[in-house]
Amino acid sequence: MDVSLRPNAPIDIWNPDWNDPFDPTVEAGDEFAELVAAVRAVQEAFTRSRPDPAAAAGIAGTLRSVAQRLEELEVGEDDQIAGHRWDLAGRGQALAPPLHIDAVTETTARGRVTVGRFHAGRYAMNGGVTPLIFDEIMARLANDSGRPWARTAYLNVNFRAPAPLDVELRVEAEYLRQDGRKRFMRGTMYHGEVLVADADGLWVELKPEQTLNISEGGDV
């Protein structure tokens, strides 16, 4: 069943968790969504700018003040909103380009993304950004439909053509098969009818002891 035909699962936008419903993206105008959009706007504007020393110093001071204000609001990773806003393009984080999810089934997903100069690599999308986009859609599909949590084991990307900036790219993922704890995935990216990249990946289902927070002393 194509879940794009059913209402999105309700999400508490101020208290999201790790449970990804993987529904199509919605357009939201709440305060946190506006904050994410503002951060992305700063990133893009910074990349496109050529400030003189005085402007650079003044802007740096302003941004450090913003950073200090956000540091006062710091919480643990399980309680942060960024990365857990499953309803938003990009999940409310600002590293990878915001991927809009259009349709999802148990074995396929389709989305679209537009990349600006913040993610550029000399007149086209930086090659290091492509795996970020593939990992986003392929990992979410690999962990969809109530499947136990799995992590990326490998992601092989083939670059077929330059991916242009400021135009919409179509991204697709397919759940190929499962072999024990291994989940095999495939992804493709198109500019119009031109294949710009494809990928194959492996996600491995975690054992209970592997779900610990390794940054706080848990085992890998």
Side-chain angles (χ1 to χ4, degrees):
M1 176 182 178
D2 189 334
V3 299
S4 66
L5 303 179
R6 74 184 185 207
N8 284 33
I11 293 176
D12 183 345
I13 63 174
W14 297 109
N15 293 286
D17 55 31
W18 290 107
N19 297 310
D20 178 8
F22 200 24
D23 289 331
T25 300
V26 299
E27 297 298 327
D30 59 85
E31 293 85 351
F32 186 80
E34 291 296 324
L35 175 59
V36 176
V39 172
R40 292 191 183 125
V42 168
Q43 292 175 160
E44 186 68 15
F46 168 77
T47 303
R48 292 172 177 267
S49 70
R50 184 173 175 166
D52 58 38
I59 294 168
T62 299
L63 292 179
R64 289 188 185 280
S65 296
V66 172
Q68 183 176 8
R69 178 70 181 100
L70 289 170
E71 288 168 1
E72 295 169 357
L73 304 172
E74 182 175 340
V75 296
E77 185 175 357
D78 288 341
D79 296 318
Q80 70 185 43
I81 303 175
H84 299 170
R85 276 294 301 271
W86 308 107
D87 56 317
L88 299 178
R91 297 179 290 110
Q93 56 82 39
L95 172 63
L99 176 66
H100 294 256
I101 303 298
D102 292 319
V104 182
T105 72
E106 289 187 358
T107 58
T108 64
R110 185 180 73 250
R112 51 197 162 85
V113 65
T114 301
V115 175
R117 274 164 54 186
F118 177 70
H119 293 104
R122 193 167 178 83
Y123 310 133
M125 184 165 66
N126 188 295
V129 176
T130 308
L132 287 175
I133 297 170
F134 276 133
D135 192 61
E136 172 75 6
I137 192 169
M138 294 167 71
R140 292 185 70 181
L141 181 60
N143 286 288
D144 189 34
S145 300
R147 301 178 182 110
W149 193 11
R151 287 191 185 275
T152 312
Y154 68 70
L155 182 63
N156 297 327
V157 178
N158 301 303
F159 299 91
R160 307 296 187 180
L165 305 177
D166 301 315
V167 299
E168 192 171 270
L169 305 172
R170 186 173 81 256
V171 188
E172 299 175 352
E174 182 181 5
Y175 187 106
L176 298 177
R177 70 185 189 279
Q178 178 145 356
D179 182 5
R181 293 167 53 218
K182 299 178 179 179
R183 302 173 194 169
F184 295 88
M185 311 291 296
R186 177 169 175 78
T188 51
M189 182 182 297
Y190 293 88
H191 171 220
E193 297 304 313
V194 176
L195 177 66
V196 298
D198 58 60
D200 63 271
L202 170 64
W203 274 255
V204 176
E205 187 176 311
L206 298 184
K207 299 176 181 179
E209 64 270 20
Q210 294 174 318
T211 62
L212 301 175
N213 184 348
I214 64 173
S215 299
E216 294 183 352
D219 295 330
V220 177

